[in-house]
Amino acid sequence: MEKKGVLNAIDHFSKLKILVIGDVILDAYYRGKVSRISPEAPVPVIDIESKEFRLGGAANVALNVKHLGAECIVCSVVGQDQPAQFLKEMLTENSIDTSGLIESPQRHTSIKTRLVSGFSQLLRMDEETTTPIDKKEEADLLNRIKSLINDYKPEAIIFEDYDKGVITKSLIDEVVLTAKSQSIPIAVDPKKDHFLDYSGVQLFKPNFKELKEGLNLHHLTTSKSDLEKAFIALNGIMPIEKAFFTLSGDGVFITDGSLSSAFPAIKRNIADVSGAGDTVIATAACALASGLDMASLAFISNIAGGWVCQFPGVVPINASDLKSETEKHFSNGR
């Protein structure tokens, strides 16, 4: 891992085109003050003072990709509803291509509404459709993805799965086959439903909880030997090139079965861990597309994921901040 090469790779992000496939989510924050208990039930009454909407799920991954300097197209299925319009407007405002979005009258766009008072989240309300997309929606989305791959010629593809029904096994199989025919690497941020459906991808990035549940290894620890054994078990079921495990307070671990690297979590003042995984997969995919070695990929992705946790709510990291943080941690000998 060489400092100049890593910094040059971050500069190279601006030359990349990335396709993000997955569940887009609209994150809503209703903020206000609580000063009384409702006379109707023993619950607090919040007087709403402001409303804020942010990109979530695969849309937040796309936002991180864009802030890192790369061009990005997001591919998903949304409803014909107001949350979908909000998402499209926000994506367009951030110069993210929405031509990969398919509208369906049968689905509700995922919106997660948080009621927040001070620094405390009082309640979250989810409005969404989580059943798998139907055959027509799947065919429409797949045709759109294949067309975009041929026309857009992305340097990498990200699968961002939140188990909301957009990603199906047959969609995964077809996209992997298409990408392989054009030598396009795929990075995956999986969830439980399709955890073992990504055979042949170049980078597989579960968090520790997802890894334990996906492999049914409930006594797994974050030791090097345990994580290497987990890769062997994973690769025996679903052959992949590299596994990148995010371990929360224990940092990150990456392996291809022959070489392994681990980086501890960087001590920071943590405000909110929401969206950190989105930042990590966006950074890792850009690093993968730029040809960085495994250790360097894990190193800068670990930095990026920790950096966004310093801020409340879901926020992206930009290339200049990533370069600055990378230089700082190289100087610290990490």
Side-chain angles (χ1 to χ4, degrees):
M1 188 167 62
E2 193 263 330
K3 178 179 175 180
K4 183 178 179 182
V6 174
L7 297 177
N8 285 343
I10 295 173
D11 286 334
H12 183 258
F13 290 177
S14 63
K15 297 178 173 62
L16 299 175
K17 297 182 289 292
I18 308 290
L19 204 66
V20 176
I21 303 169
D23 304 291
V24 295
I25 298 169
L26 181 65
D27 286 329
Y29 297 85
Y30 285 35
R31 304 181 190 277
K33 291 181 180 178
V34 173
S35 57
R36 59 197 172 99
I37 299 297
S38 171
E40 302 166 357
V43 295
V45 175
I46 181 169
D47 294 314
I48 300 299
E49 297 174 335
S50 67
K51 299 178 184 179
E52 181 184 8
F53 297 95
R54 296 185 184 182
L55 297 170
N60 185 47
V61 174
L63 184 65
N64 274 273
V65 168
K66 185 63 185 179
H67 275 252
L68 286 168
E71 292 182 30
C72 188
I73 294 182
V74 62
C75 302
S76 189
V77 179
V78 297
Q80 294 179 343
D81 49 27
Q82 190 176 54
Q85 293 308 308
F86 281 161
L87 274 168
K88 287 182 178 180
E89 290 169 8
M90 293 169 67
L91 288 164
T92 301
E93 287 170 2
N94 284 280
S95 300
I96 298 168
D97 195 321
T98 61
S99 58
L101 295 182
I102 303 293
E103 289 188 359
S104 167
Q106 279 78 46
R107 297 185 73 84
H108 296 288
T109 305
S110 292
I111 176 168
K112 299 182 181 297
T113 304
R114 292 123 173 126
L115 301 182
V116 182
S117 179
F119 295 103
S120 299
Q121 186 178 137
L122 305 179
L123 182 70
R124 195 182 88 180
M125 302 179 294
D126 292 358
E127 303 167 76
E128 56 193 7
T129 303
T130 58
T131 54
I133 54 177
D134 64 28
K135 292 300 180 183
K136 182 183 184 306
E137 293 162 347
E138 181 183 73
D140 289 345
L141 179 60
L142 181 58
N143 288 335
R144 186 71 57 86
I145 291 169
K146 287 183 174 180
S147 176
L148 289 169
I149 289 174
N150 289 329
D151 296 341
Y152 192 60
K153 297 186 172 23
E155 277 75 31
I157 295 170
I158 300 172
F159 273 111
E160 181 61 36
D161 194 356
Y162 272 83
D163 275 351
K164 305 302 180 187
V166 168
I167 292 177
T168 64
K169 186 180 186 309
S170 52
L171 181 78
I172 295 167
D173 291 343
E174 287 292 330
V175 172
V176 170
L177 194 64
T178 301
K180 189 171 290 187
S181 72
Q182 300 193 33
S183 301
I184 302 170
I186 295 178
V188 178
D189 193 356
K191 283 292 181 288
K192 186 175 181 180
D193 287 355
H194 297 289
F195 190 85
L196 295 173
D197 290 340
Y198 292 98
S199 181
V201 303
Q202 284 64 46
L203 186 71
F204 188 71
K205 187 213 74 68
N207 63 34
F208 189 57
K209 180 176 181 290
E210 291 161 350
L211 179 64
K212 289 197 297 182
E213 292 178 350
L215 292 177
N216 198 29
L217 297 174
H218 298 291
H219 298 293
L220 188 71
T221 72
T222 58
S223 69
K224 181 175 183 288
S225 60
D226 263 19
L227 295 175
E228 287 177 341
K229 289 175 183 176
F231 175 78
I232 292 170
L234 178 64
N235 207 42
I237 302 168
M238 179 185 71
I240 55 173
E241 288 189 13
K242 305 176 189 70
F244 182 26
F245 305 142
T246 55
L247 311 172
S248 189
D250 290 324
V252 301
F253 179 87
I254 193 167
T255 183
D256 63 1
S258 298
L259 299 174
S260 300
S261 295
F263 296 94
I266 298 166
K267 291 184 178 180
R268 300 181 187 274
N269 294 320
I270 303 299
D272 192 340
V273 299
S274 302
D278 298 342
T279 300
V280 170
I281 192 64
T283 307
C286 288
L288 183 69
S290 297
L292 274 180
D293 61 89
M294 281 198 316
S296 299
L297 181 155
F299 177 71
I300 64 170
S301 300
N302 186 41
I303 289 172
W307 186 88
V308 298
C309 292
Q310 300 174 110
F311 308 97
V314 176
V315 299
I317 189 170
N318 60 48
S320 61
D321 286 321
L322 180 57
K323 280 191 71 175
S324 175
E325 288 289 300
T326 299
E327 287 188 286
K328 180 168 68 177
H329 292 292
F330 260 113
S331 299
N332 291 340
R334 297 180 181 175

